[in-house]
Amino acid sequence: MALMNENYLKLPGSYLFSEIARRINSFKKENPDADIIRLGIGDVTKPLPPAVVEAMKQAVDEMSRPETFRGYGPEQGYEFLSQRIIEHDFKPRGVELELDEVFISDGSKNDTANFQELFGLNNILAVTDPVYPVYVDSNVMAGRTGNFNDKGQFENIVYLPCTEENGMKPDLPRTEVDMIYLCYPNNPTGMTLSKEELKKWVDYARENRSIILFDAAYESYIREEGVPHSIFEIEGAREVAVEFRSFSKTAGFTGTRCAYTIVPRDVKVYDSKGESHSLNSLWLRRQTTKFNGVSYPVQAAAAAVFTPEGQKQVKELINYYMENASIIKNGLEKAGYKVFGGVNAPYIWLKTPDNMGSWEFFDQLMKKAHIVGTPGAGFGASGEGYFRLTAFGTRENTERAIERIKTRM
Ligand code: MLT
């Protein structure tokens, strides 16, 4: 008899975005003619930039000729891409990285979910609340948490509430934690941390020998000065942090799949005898065993993001989505909503009117305005009473959605 991994039984229902898809489908069955505007999952709507498409086509052509065909690539990614990542994304910000500190992958969702495998099951993890559910669920599946309690939280996780009282910025944990997940610019609140604020976390991690798992998937949306794009801009972060980056939201790769994770050689974890081990070597060991790299055409396409035309086209994409963010933010504010985010991030976090529950607001918005968003409660207990809209829709739908919220809600 095959026994199951009973940790899966601790997970409530389905994954957040699968539950939303289920509700949309059932609404559509009953209202087949409803013109639904989707501002729920943060999926891009603009096609891949032309420079990226051209590079991918050329790479596919290479794969069609015996003299340029490539089989398995390096598990850690092609040097032509890692080199460009270092030169464009880190060097200009004063961050020096070696090639073997960059790991190309097929997505930050998988990397953030898989990375926890490198840590002992007795580690205590801290997450912001609200939080991108993948960090929590992957640790639940691994058995690093207790059960789901009636507060809507898992035992053995330290939740760091991000509320209006603390400006949606987490306070340092009061008890010692070992693994800290931070996502900035934040999904779902769209808020950022300043360098000084992020430094407090790096200092905490250095003092406590904890590791910060820093998700920077939305860094290209930062508009304001003084907001760190990488945790490695903070002194000492090389000793205690890992950073996840993605081409998904930057260059429209949600369906193409390419991302990268930076694991500095200086980051150490400890065995039960207190001896230190390199996290970089552990991740390399993990990836070489379980992953065969991202396809050559996709990596060639990602490298084109860093060409002058690629940079120009990607900036245009980001400007387009950030213009949507302003339309949503300003429109909601005019309609009397309290709104967070949308300045350095493609997410707008709104307070539901009249203290309405997040899922109730979800249902009302779908029924009255035919708009899909994401209920804040799906991101954690502190998200109850809030709601997330994404700026990744088309301009037309974004404008229509705001008009509908003003007139129908
Ligand atoms: C979201 O909507 O939170 C994101 O699209 C999820 C993801 O990137 O996996």
Side-chain angles (χ1 to χ4, degrees):
M1 178 174 62
L3 296 177
M4 73 173 294
N5 173 354
E6 291 193 22
N7 294 309
Y8 277 66
L9 297 175
K10 297 176 189 164
L11 293 166
S14 45
Y15 179 58
L16 174 61
F17 293 106
S18 315
E19 172 60 20
I20 291 174
R22 192 190 64 72
R23 289 191 187 213
I24 302 172
N25 287 339
S26 106
F27 179 78
K28 270 176 69 179
K29 251 188 211 144
E30 285 162 29
N31 305 273
D33 298 329
D35 169 23
I36 296 175
I37 299 178
R38 293 168 191 255
L39 301 180
I41 190 163
D43 195 3
V44 293
T45 47
K46 284 271 200 202
L48 291 171
V52 165
V53 173
E54 198 41 50
M56 195 188 287
K57 282 184 183 165
Q58 276 180 24
V60 171
D61 275 350
E62 284 176 46
M63 295 296 267
S64 74
R65 291 192 295 270
E67 62 282 12
T68 46
F69 169 78
R70 299 181 190 225
Y72 290 125
E75 293 103 331
Q76 210 171 327
Y78 285 104
E79 211 176 296
F80 66 76
L81 179 54
S82 304
Q83 193 66 53
R84 286 187 177 184
I85 288 169
I86 294 173
E87 294 297 325
H88 285 83
D89 281 359
F90 293 96
K91 236 189 192 145
R93 301 196 177 279
V95 178
E96 296 292 333
L97 293 174
E98 299 294 329
L99 279 172
D100 63 3
E101 295 178 314
V102 182
F103 294 78
I104 312 289
S105 78
D106 58 350
S108 281
K109 176 175 174 176
N110 349 346
D111 279 0
T112 54
N114 292 331
F115 211 87
Q116 50 74 30
E117 279 182 31
L118 307 186
F119 297 91
L121 289 183
N122 291 331
N123 279 312
I124 300 290
L125 64 127
V127 294
T128 59
D129 175 16
V131 67
Y132 178 46
V134 171
Y135 315 148
V136 171
D137 290 4
S138 57
N139 277 284
V140 174
M141 290 168 177
R144 201 167 285 108
T145 73
N147 288 323
F148 196 60
N149 62 27
D150 28 336
K151 282 193 252 154
Q153 300 188 324
F154 288 95
E155 307 288 350
N156 294 351
I157 292 186
V158 173
Y159 289 88
L160 309 165
C162 296
T163 59
E164 287 183 50
E165 288 71 49
N166 61 16
M168 301 277 169
K169 295 175 183 205
D171 296 327
L172 288 174
R174 291 202 197 98
T175 52
E176 223 173 274
V177 299
D178 310 301
M179 299 156 63
I180 303 163
Y181 287 86
L182 294 177
C183 171
Y184 286 98
N186 187 255
N187 178 13
T189 65
M191 301 296 275
T192 51
L193 294 184
S194 66
K195 277 197 180 152
E196 295 67 37
E197 287 162 340
L198 191 52
K199 183 173 182 307
K200 282 190 212 151
W201 287 94
V202 171
D203 292 347
Y204 173 94
R206 290 172 86 187
E207 269 159 40
N208 293 283
R209 296 204 279 185
S210 350
I211 303 288
I212 300 175
L213 300 153
F214 191 75
D215 186 348
Y218 301 94
E219 70 72 37
S220 51
Y221 288 84
I222 296 172
R223 293 285 169 109
E224 292 180 323
E225 293 295 318
V227 178
H229 286 242
S230 166
I231 195 167
F232 302 119
E233 291 175 47
I234 312 296
E235 196 195 330
R238 273 189 63 88
E239 295 160 30
V240 291
V242 168
E243 182 165 303
F244 304 95
R245 292 256 189 133
S246 171
F247 291 96
S248 284
K249 315 295 159 103
T250 309
F253 273 59
T254 51
T256 303
R257 311 306 302 153
C258 197
Y260 53 97
T261 292
I262 307 296
V263 191
R265 287 195 208 136
D266 309 1
V267 188
K268 298 281 184 281
V269 277
Y270 300 87
D271 64 24
S272 48
K273 296 188 203 101
E275 275 169 33
S276 66
H277 299 266
S278 150
L279 201 57
N280 179 293
S281 308
L282 296 185
W283 186 238
L284 180 65
R285 185 70 176 84
R286 192 268 174 209
Q287 290 297 77
T288 47
T289 303
K290 297 194 178 183
F291 185 58
N292 258 341
V294 177
S295 77
Y296 171 65
V298 168
Q299 291 192 63
V305 166
F306 299 107
T307 59
E309 318 84 79
Q311 286 289 289
K312 189 169 155 274
Q313 293 161 5
V314 158
K315 263 202 192 98
E316 279 164 13
L317 278 186
I318 292 167
N319 288 343
Y320 176 89
Y321 293 131
M322 285 312 283
E323 182 63 30
N324 285 350
S326 304
I327 291 169
I328 298 174
K329 183 174 149 55
N330 297 338
L332 289 175
E333 279 171 351
K334 274 201 192 115
Y337 287 84
K338 190 159 195 185
V339 175
F340 301 86
V343 176
N344 294 302
Y347 292 124
I348 291 92
W349 187 242
L350 63 104
K351 196 169 167 62
T352 57
D354 309 320
N355 293 322
M356 199 187 291
S358 305
W359 281 104
E360 193 189 338
F361 187 74
F362 173 90
D363 288 333
Q364 290 218 7
L365 196 63
M366 187 152 68
K367 280 185 193 136
K368 291 190 192 166
H370 298 172
I371 298 170
V372 175
T374 310
F379 296 102
S382 297
E384 182 54 281
Y386 294 88
F387 199 79
R388 194 193 76 176
L389 291 175
T390 123
F392 289 123
T394 62
R395 176 65 42 77
E396 192 198 352
N397 278 347
T398 304
E399 284 170 347
R400 288 197 309 142
I402 291 304
E403 203 44 44
R404 286 188 195 175
I405 291 177
K406 280 184 187 159
T407 53
R408 300 193 200 172
M409 292 299 290

